[in-house]
Amino acid sequence: MSHTIREKQKLINRVRRIRGQMEAVERMLIDEKDCAEVMQVLAGVRGAVNGLMGEVIEDHVLMHVAAEGLSQKERNEGAAELIDVLRAYLK
């Protein structure tokens, strides 16, 4: 995933925000907060994970499917990887 180096800090920052949100969920559960509050934070976590996944998918498509100079074999491999991940992600 060497192409993520150019976006490395941006992706790391997203992961850190997600970690912070999950830590907030843990604290809320320990403190027995209202379930509606917990669900609201969890919805935010899901949105954040979806955003992160979107960024990584976009980079993958641009670098492994649509980039100029790729052979048809490389494009097919990049597409197959993406399909496998999307199938698992959408389960």
Side-chain angles (χ1 to χ4, degrees):
M1 215 168 136
S2 61
H3 60 277
T4 59
I5 295 302
R6 64 187 174 89
E7 299 287 331
K8 182 178 179 178
Q9 194 57 50
K10 182 179 176 183
L11 296 174
I12 289 171
N13 289 341
R14 280 181 175 262
V15 168
R16 288 179 178 156
R17 281 193 297 275
I18 292 166
R19 181 185 315 133
Q21 289 174 309
M22 288 305 301
E23 289 170 353
V25 170
E26 180 181 17
R27 285 190 304 274
M28 293 173 84
L29 293 172
I30 289 169
D31 295 342
E32 299 180 7
K33 295 290 184 180
D34 183 64
C35 60
E37 293 176 47
V38 174
M39 289 187 293
Q40 188 67 37
V41 176
L42 286 171
V45 170
R46 182 176 181 183
V49 169
N50 287 341
L52 175 62
M53 183 63 132
E55 290 283 333
V56 175
I57 287 172
E58 180 180 347
D59 282 351
H60 180 82
V61 169
L62 293 174
M63 299 303 294
H64 299 286
V65 179
E68 289 186 38
L70 292 175
S71 69
Q72 190 58 47
K73 181 179 185 250
E74 290 170 316
R75 290 178 195 280
N76 291 345
E77 288 171 357
E81 291 169 347
L82 179 59
I83 290 166
D84 288 346
V85 168
L86 286 175
R87 282 188 178 139
Y89 189 70
L90 296 173
K91 281 186 177 181

